[in-house]
Amino acid sequence: MVMTLTGDPTQAERPVREYLAALEETNDPKASTRTLSLNDPAATWTAAPGGPAFFAYSTNYLIDLEAGIILDVEASAVNKAAEVEATRTMIDRVEETFGLKPERLVGDTNYGSAAMLGWLVDEKDIAPHVPVFDKSERTDGTFGRSDFTYDAENNRYICPAGKSLKPAWRSKQKNPYRYRASQLDCQACPLKAQCCPNMANRQIDRSPHESARDVARAITKTDAYKQSRKERKKVEMLFAHLKRILKMDKLRLRGFSNAKDEFLLAATAQNLRRMAKRLAINEPVTQLIPA
Ligand code: SF4
């Protein structure tokens, strides 16, 4: 429910009116009142697996894995797209503010979308130590995309029967990355039942970011990637510490920018604690000599 104020606002009423106007602007008329917080509409209605639903914001950290220091914090809505966008914002901001750019990004499958990998590899030159989000593999026993070899020189795929799948010119406007086998080849092919049993010929869609995905796939086979998976636990530990030790399981203030401020303060406390520990290890212990 949004209250409406009429008449000329006094100086004290003006911020209230601005707040209510901002609420109206963010109001989604299609949103269900059950999933829309009436006193904090920017919060997301969410739930942990098997747990009760609640309204929340997501806190996103950019961490220097080696030092365990939080370099940046960004609040976001609780969904994958918003969290990935927050990571892009933090990477750009840390580069602009401190001149620091990560050599690698360690994350979960949320960061393995084609668009994110393309941005990391092609635009930022950051090695993606993330699992590739890939739905091209099939579960019905027929050939998945990994059974086809991409021939970059000739811009074609080679199928398991050794035939070519070339860019499908007819659908070029709609999807310039669609490759098709010849109908004649497929109709006469002994592997057709394993390849495209319900289609006249096989087609494959290639992502415009496929080369970046190939870079990520190659990294997943390295020892450095295994090490990154282990180091990722440090991130989980920081979030666990936030809830269990700092008891930050609820926000005291409402609104997106207030959530951001609270997350920033919490991260600062975590950094100070971390730095105090590191300095305590490096500094010689002061001896107390009784007088
Ligand atoms: S059905 Fe077509 S695409 Fe599939 S293996 Fe045979 S020739 Fe190649």
Side-chain angles (χ1 to χ4, degrees), residues 145 150 152 155 157 175-179 204-211 214:
R145 193 164 55 201
Y150 183 61
N155 187 26
Y157 276 93
N175 184 353
Y177 300 97
R178 176 159 292 169
Y179 294 74
I204 285 183
D205 285 339
R206 180 176 171 83
S207 162
H209 304 292
E210 200 61 38
S211 55
D214 286 342

mmCIF file of all heavy atoms in Angstrom, residues 145 150 152 155 157 175-179 204-211 214:
data_model
loop_
_atom_site.group_PDB
_atom_site.id
_atom_site.type_symbol
_atom_site.label_atom_id
_atom_site.label_comp_id
_atom_site.label_asym_id
_atom_site.label_seq_id
_atom_site.Cartn_x
_atom_site.Cartn_y
_atom_site.Cartn_z
ATOM 1 N N ARG A 145 27.044 -31.788 -28.572
ATOM 2 C CA ARG A 145 27.909 -30.928 -29.390
ATOM 3 C C ARG A 145 29.375 -31.306 -29.254
ATOM 4 O O ARG A 145 30.168 -31.125 -30.187
ATOM 5 C CB ARG A 145 27.700 -29.458 -29.036
ATOM 6 C CG ARG A 145 28.346 -28.573 -30.091
ATOM 7 C CD ARG A 145 27.887 -27.153 -30.035
ATOM 8 N NE ARG A 145 28.080 -26.602 -28.710
ATOM 9 C CZ ARG A 145 27.433 -25.542 -28.252
ATOM 10 N NH1 ARG A 145 26.541 -24.957 -28.994
ATOM 11 N NH2 ARG A 145 27.655 -25.095 -27.043
ATOM 12 N N TYR A 150 35.004 -28.595 -34.113
ATOM 13 C CA TYR A 150 34.935 -27.313 -34.845
ATOM 14 C C TYR A 150 36.225 -27.090 -35.616
ATOM 15 O O TYR A 150 37.324 -27.198 -35.069
ATOM 16 C CB TYR A 150 34.706 -26.161 -33.859
ATOM 17 C CG TYR A 150 34.548 -24.830 -34.554
ATOM 18 C CD1 TYR A 150 33.504 -24.629 -35.463
ATOM 19 C CD2 TYR A 150 35.452 -23.800 -34.343
ATOM 20 C CE1 TYR A 150 33.354 -23.420 -36.127
ATOM 21 C CE2 TYR A 150 35.308 -22.585 -35.001
ATOM 22 C CZ TYR A 150 34.260 -22.409 -35.894
ATOM 23 O OH TYR A 150 34.118 -21.208 -36.557
ATOM 24 N N ALA A 152 38.021 -24.280 -37.205
ATOM 25 C CA ALA A 152 37.973 -22.812 -37.247
ATOM 26 C C ALA A 152 38.418 -22.271 -38.601
ATOM 27 O O ALA A 152 37.867 -21.293 -39.097
ATOM 28 C CB ALA A 152 38.858 -22.248 -36.129
ATOM 29 N N ASN A 155 35.520 -22.648 -40.826
ATOM 30 C CA ASN A 155 34.253 -22.278 -40.199
ATOM 31 C C ASN A 155 33.178 -23.347 -40.432
ATOM 32 O O ASN A 155 32.137 -23.106 -41.064
ATOM 33 C CB ASN A 155 33.766 -20.916 -40.736
ATOM 34 C CG ASN A 155 32.558 -20.436 -39.973
ATOM 35 O OD1 ASN A 155 32.353 -20.796 -38.811
ATOM 36 N ND2 ASN A 155 31.718 -19.620 -40.610
ATOM 37 N N TYR A 157 31.675 -27.438 -38.657
ATOM 38 C CA TYR A 157 31.819 -28.552 -37.713
ATOM 39 C C TYR A 157 31.983 -29.836 -38.505
ATOM 40 O O TYR A 157 31.423 -29.976 -39.604
ATOM 41 C CB TYR A 157 30.568 -28.674 -36.835
ATOM 42 C CG TYR A 157 30.565 -27.749 -35.634
ATOM 43 C CD1 TYR A 157 29.967 -26.501 -35.694
ATOM 44 C CD2 TYR A 157 31.169 -28.135 -34.447
ATOM 45 C CE1 TYR A 157 29.974 -25.647 -34.597
ATOM 46 C CE2 TYR A 157 31.177 -27.289 -33.339
ATOM 47 C CZ TYR A 157 30.577 -26.051 -33.421
ATOM 48 O OH TYR A 157 30.593 -25.216 -32.335
ATOM 49 N N ASN A 175 19.821 -16.384 -37.007
ATOM 50 C CA ASN A 175 20.861 -16.961 -36.153
ATOM 51 C C ASN A 175 22.119 -17.219 -36.983
ATOM 52 O O ASN A 175 22.239 -18.238 -37.651
ATOM 53 C CB ASN A 175 20.358 -18.270 -35.526
ATOM 54 C CG ASN A 175 21.363 -18.841 -34.559
ATOM 55 O OD1 ASN A 175 22.482 -18.333 -34.447
ATOM 56 N ND2 ASN A 175 20.994 -19.880 -33.858
ATOM 57 N N PRO A 176 23.074 -16.262 -36.928
ATOM 58 C CA PRO A 176 24.259 -16.414 -37.787
ATOM 59 C C PRO A 176 25.196 -17.522 -37.311
ATOM 60 O O PRO A 176 26.186 -17.813 -37.971
ATOM 61 C CB PRO A 176 24.934 -15.041 -37.683
ATOM 62 C CG PRO A 176 24.425 -14.445 -36.419
ATOM 63 C CD PRO A 176 23.090 -15.031 -36.145
ATOM 64 N N TYR A 177 24.896 -18.120 -36.173
ATOM 65 C CA TYR A 177 25.798 -19.155 -35.629
ATOM 66 C C TYR A 177 25.165 -20.548 -35.696
ATOM 67 O O TYR A 177 25.444 -21.398 -34.876
ATOM 68 C CB TYR A 177 26.182 -18.796 -34.188
ATOM 69 C CG TYR A 177 26.894 -17.469 -34.103
ATOM 70 C CD1 TYR A 177 26.203 -16.305 -33.785
ATOM 71 C CD2 TYR A 177 28.250 -17.368 -34.391
ATOM 72 C CE1 TYR A 177 26.846 -15.075 -33.737
ATOM 73 C CE2 TYR A 177 28.900 -16.143 -34.343
ATOM 74 C CZ TYR A 177 28.204 -15.005 -34.022
ATOM 75 O OH TYR A 177 28.848 -13.797 -33.983
ATOM 76 N N ARG A 178 24.248 -20.739 -36.659
ATOM 77 C CA ARG A 178 23.628 -22.072 -36.804
ATOM 78 C C ARG A 178 24.336 -22.820 -37.947
ATOM 79 O O ARG A 178 24.516 -22.276 -39.038
ATOM 80 C CB ARG A 178 22.135 -21.918 -37.099
ATOM 81 C CG ARG A 178 21.445 -23.236 -37.365
ATOM 82 C CD ARG A 178 19.959 -23.133 -37.155
ATOM 83 N NE ARG A 178 19.669 -22.929 -35.738
ATOM 84 C CZ ARG A 178 18.468 -22.599 -35.269
ATOM 85 N NH1 ARG A 178 17.464 -22.452 -36.083
ATOM 86 N NH2 ARG A 178 18.277 -22.449 -33.974
ATOM 87 N N TYR A 179 24.712 -24.077 -37.658
ATOM 88 C CA TYR A 179 25.405 -24.893 -38.648
ATOM 89 C C TYR A 179 24.530 -26.103 -38.968
ATOM 90 O O TYR A 179 23.939 -26.705 -38.061
ATOM 91 C CB TYR A 179 26.762 -25.367 -38.091
ATOM 92 C CG TYR A 179 27.724 -24.217 -37.877
ATOM 93 C CD1 TYR A 179 27.552 -23.333 -36.816
ATOM 94 C CD2 TYR A 179 28.789 -24.008 -38.746
ATOM 95 C CE1 TYR A 179 28.413 -22.259 -36.633
ATOM 96 C CE2 TYR A 179 29.652 -22.944 -38.564
ATOM 97 C CZ TYR A 179 29.456 -22.071 -37.511
ATOM 98 O OH TYR A 179 30.301 -21.016 -37.328
ATOM 99 N N ILE A 204 23.492 -27.544 -35.469
ATOM 100 C CA ILE A 204 24.177 -27.199 -34.226
ATOM 101 C C ILE A 204 24.220 -25.681 -34.107
ATOM 102 O O ILE A 204 24.538 -24.998 -35.092
ATOM 103 C CB ILE A 204 25.620 -27.756 -34.236
ATOM 104 C CG1 ILE A 204 25.578 -29.257 -33.993
ATOM 105 C CG2 ILE A 204 26.506 -27.087 -33.215
ATOM 106 C CD1 ILE A 204 26.935 -29.887 -33.915
ATOM 107 N N ASP A 205 23.878 -25.172 -32.938
ATOM 108 C CA ASP A 205 23.993 -23.729 -32.716
ATOM 109 C C ASP A 205 25.284 -23.455 -31.962
ATOM 110 O O ASP A 205 25.547 -24.050 -30.918
ATOM 111 C CB ASP A 205 22.805 -23.221 -31.890
ATOM 112 C CG ASP A 205 21.553 -23.147 -32.740
ATOM 113 O OD1 ASP A 205 21.677 -23.094 -33.983
ATOM 114 O OD2 ASP A 205 20.446 -23.165 -32.176
ATOM 115 N N ARG A 206 26.076 -22.564 -32.524
ATOM 116 C CA ARG A 206 27.339 -22.189 -31.885
ATOM 117 C C ARG A 206 27.153 -20.838 -31.209
ATOM 118 O O ARG A 206 26.547 -19.925 -31.788
ATOM 119 C CB ARG A 206 28.435 -22.109 -32.956
ATOM 120 C CG ARG A 206 29.795 -21.736 -32.431
ATOM 121 C CD ARG A 206 30.834 -21.782 -33.557
ATOM 122 N NE ARG A 206 32.093 -21.216 -33.116
ATOM 123 C CZ ARG A 206 33.015 -21.885 -32.428
ATOM 124 N NH1 ARG A 206 32.817 -23.151 -32.136
ATOM 125 N NH2 ARG A 206 34.132 -21.303 -32.048
ATOM 126 N N SER A 207 27.641 -20.711 -29.974
ATOM 127 C CA SER A 207 27.514 -19.434 -29.292
ATOM 128 C C SER A 207 28.493 -18.432 -29.896
ATOM 129 O O SER A 207 29.608 -18.797 -30.271
ATOM 130 C CB SER A 207 27.841 -19.624 -27.802
ATOM 131 O OG SER A 207 28.115 -18.384 -27.214
ATOM 132 N N PRO A 208 28.112 -17.140 -29.972
ATOM 133 C CA PRO A 208 29.089 -16.145 -30.441
ATOM 134 C C PRO A 208 30.286 -16.043 -29.502
ATOM 135 O O PRO A 208 31.322 -15.507 -29.865
ATOM 136 C CB PRO A 208 28.285 -14.838 -30.467
ATOM 137 C CG PRO A 208 27.028 -15.106 -29.736
ATOM 138 C CD PRO A 208 26.797 -16.576 -29.733
ATOM 139 N N HIS A 209 30.130 -16.590 -28.276
ATOM 140 C CA HIS A 209 31.237 -16.548 -27.302
ATOM 141 C C HIS A 209 31.888 -17.933 -27.164
ATOM 142 O O HIS A 209 32.500 -18.228 -26.147
ATOM 143 C CB HIS A 209 30.719 -16.101 -25.933
ATOM 144 C CG HIS A 209 30.014 -14.782 -25.982
ATOM 145 N ND1 HIS A 209 30.663 -13.601 -26.240
ATOM 146 C CD2 HIS A 209 28.712 -14.467 -25.819
ATOM 147 C CE1 HIS A 209 29.789 -12.613 -26.237
ATOM 148 N NE2 HIS A 209 28.600 -13.108 -25.984
ATOM 149 N N GLU A 210 31.740 -18.773 -28.212
ATOM 150 C CA GLU A 210 32.229 -20.148 -28.087
ATOM 151 C C GLU A 210 33.734 -20.216 -27.862
ATOM 152 O O GLU A 210 34.221 -21.070 -27.126
ATOM 153 C CB GLU A 210 31.847 -20.945 -29.342
ATOM 154 C CG GLU A 210 31.847 -22.456 -29.151
ATOM 155 C CD GLU A 210 30.873 -22.947 -28.096
ATOM 156 O OE1 GLU A 210 29.772 -22.394 -27.987
ATOM 157 O OE2 GLU A 210 31.243 -23.884 -27.349
ATOM 158 N N SER A 211 34.491 -19.307 -28.467
ATOM 159 C CA SER A 211 35.956 -19.372 -28.285
ATOM 160 C C SER A 211 36.304 -19.090 -26.813
ATOM 161 O O SER A 211 37.203 -19.720 -26.253
ATOM 162 C CB SER A 211 36.684 -18.406 -29.213
ATOM 163 O OG SER A 211 36.182 -17.112 -29.033
ATOM 164 N N ASP A 214 35.604 -22.165 -24.935
ATOM 165 C CA ASP A 214 36.675 -23.152 -25.130
ATOM 166 C C ASP A 214 37.846 -22.862 -24.201
ATOM 167 O O ASP A 214 38.469 -23.784 -23.668
ATOM 168 C CB ASP A 214 37.145 -23.150 -26.593
ATOM 169 C CG ASP A 214 36.133 -23.819 -27.507
ATOM 170 O OD1 ASP A 214 35.270 -24.555 -26.992
ATOM 171 O OD2 ASP A 214 36.183 -23.589 -28.731
#
